[in-house]
Amino acid sequence: IFQSEVTIMGIPCILKPRAIGADTYAGLRLSRAFSGEAVNIPPNTPLVFKNAVDNRGWTYIIEPNANWPQSPNYSGNYDIINCVLDMIKYASGSENLSEVRYLIAGNTPARSEPIGSYTRTRKIVREQMCKEYFGDRYMDCATYMVQNAIYDAVYLGYLPSVIQADLDDIAIGVIPRRLMHDDVHYNALGAYMLGRHYSLFIKAKGW
C-alpha cells in the first residue's frame, strides 16, 4: 500500500505506510483527508476503500485443491471442511450459510494422476468427503472435465472433432491433453470449458 483513499464511519481518510526511523514500512497510518474534530472509532469498525466493490451478493466458488491442509494419511482432510466454511463465512459476512450462494468445485486430476495412481486415489477420497458434506452444492468437475468437456468443445465448434489422443486420455481417467497447457494447468480452452460448467451449474440452481 502506497496511499489509499478510504472511509471509516463515513469519514474520508487516507491510509498510507508509517515510517519510523530507517524502517520505511513500520505499519499503516490512518488520517483524515480533511480537517475535523477527533472521533472515537469503536473496535472492528469496517474500513472501506474508495474503489472497493461489495461482492457479498455473489456466488462463491471454492475449490479445495491438493495444496490445502491434509490429514497425515490422507484418509480425509480433517480440517478442510472447516477451512471452506470459514472462508465462506468471512467472504459473505454471514454465519447462516443456508442464506449464502456458494458452490464447492471438485478438484480435477493432473495428467500425472490417472485412475489407480496413489495421488488420484487420495484425491478421490477427499472429493467424496466434500460431496457427502456439501451435497447439491458440490460440483463434480473431475468427471465433467475428463469424460465430457472435450465432446462439448467439439459440439460448440471449438475443436473440429474428437481424436484418438482424446480417447486415450479419457480411457486412463485424465483430462484430454488438448484442454491442458501442461500436466497441471488448463489452456485457454480447458479453462473456458470448466468456467462454462460452473455457469451451467449456477443457472440450474436458479441463481
Side-chain angles (χ1 to χ4, degrees):
I1 296 176
F2 294 99
Q3 179 168 305
S4 298
E5 296 179 43
V6 300
T7 59
I8 188 166
M9 295 177 59
I11 302 170
C13 297
I14 300 296
L15 184 68
K16 58 184 179 181
R18 180 187 182 197
I20 298 179
D23 188 350
T24 58
Y25 196 94
L28 296 171
R29 180 188 298 278
L30 181 69
S31 57
R32 295 182 72 128
F34 309 100
S35 60
E37 297 180 359
V39 176
N40 290 323
I41 306 296
N44 301 317
T45 300
L47 188 69
V48 181
F49 284 76
K50 179 180 178 180
N51 296 321
V53 178
D54 184 359
N55 295 335
R56 294 191 169 192
W58 288 19
T59 297
Y60 301 94
I61 300 177
I62 310 295
E63 180 189 355
N65 62 35
N67 298 322
W68 284 48
Q70 302 166 3
S71 59
N73 63 1
Y74 217 104
S75 59
N77 291 61
Y78 54 80
D79 57 357
I80 198 168
I81 299 297
N82 286 329
C83 284
V84 171
L85 295 176
D86 286 345
M87 287 178 65
I88 299 168
K89 290 176 182 177
Y90 178 80
S92 67
S94 176
E95 289 292 322
N96 184 4
L97 296 189
S98 64
E99 300 176 350
V100 179
R101 297 188 309 189
Y102 73 89
L103 295 172
I104 306 304
N107 194 217
T108 53
R111 288 189 49 76
S112 59
E113 298 171 333
I115 292 294
S117 65
Y118 176 65
T119 53
R120 182 64 170 278
T121 300
R122 297 191 306 172
K123 279 189 175 182
I124 289 172
V125 171
R126 183 187 58 216
E127 294 303 307
Q128 185 60 33
M129 189 173 78
C130 288
K131 183 177 181 178
E132 290 175 358
Y133 186 90
F134 292 105
D136 66 355
R137 292 178 182 263
Y138 172 83
M139 295 185 289
D140 184 354
C141 298
T143 297
Y144 174 73
M145 291 304 296
V146 171
Q147 299 181 11
N148 306 114
I150 197 74
Y151 291 99
D152 283 351
V154 171
Y155 175 77
L156 294 169
Y158 297 117
L159 293 172
S161 63
V162 174
I163 62 176
Q164 187 59 48
D166 301 326
L167 300 177
D168 292 343
D169 291 336
I170 292 171
I172 61 172
V174 298
I175 297 169
R177 65 198 73 183
R178 290 197 293 168
L179 300 177
M180 302 296 288
H181 170 69
D182 54 31
D183 282 354
V184 177
H185 305 97
Y186 295 113
N187 59 22
L189 179 57
Y192 173 81
M193 298 310 298
L194 180 61
R196 181 176 179 273
H197 181 58
Y198 289 174
S199 177
L200 293 176
F201 199 98
I202 292 169
K203 289 179 180 179
K205 294 189 74 65
W207 292 349

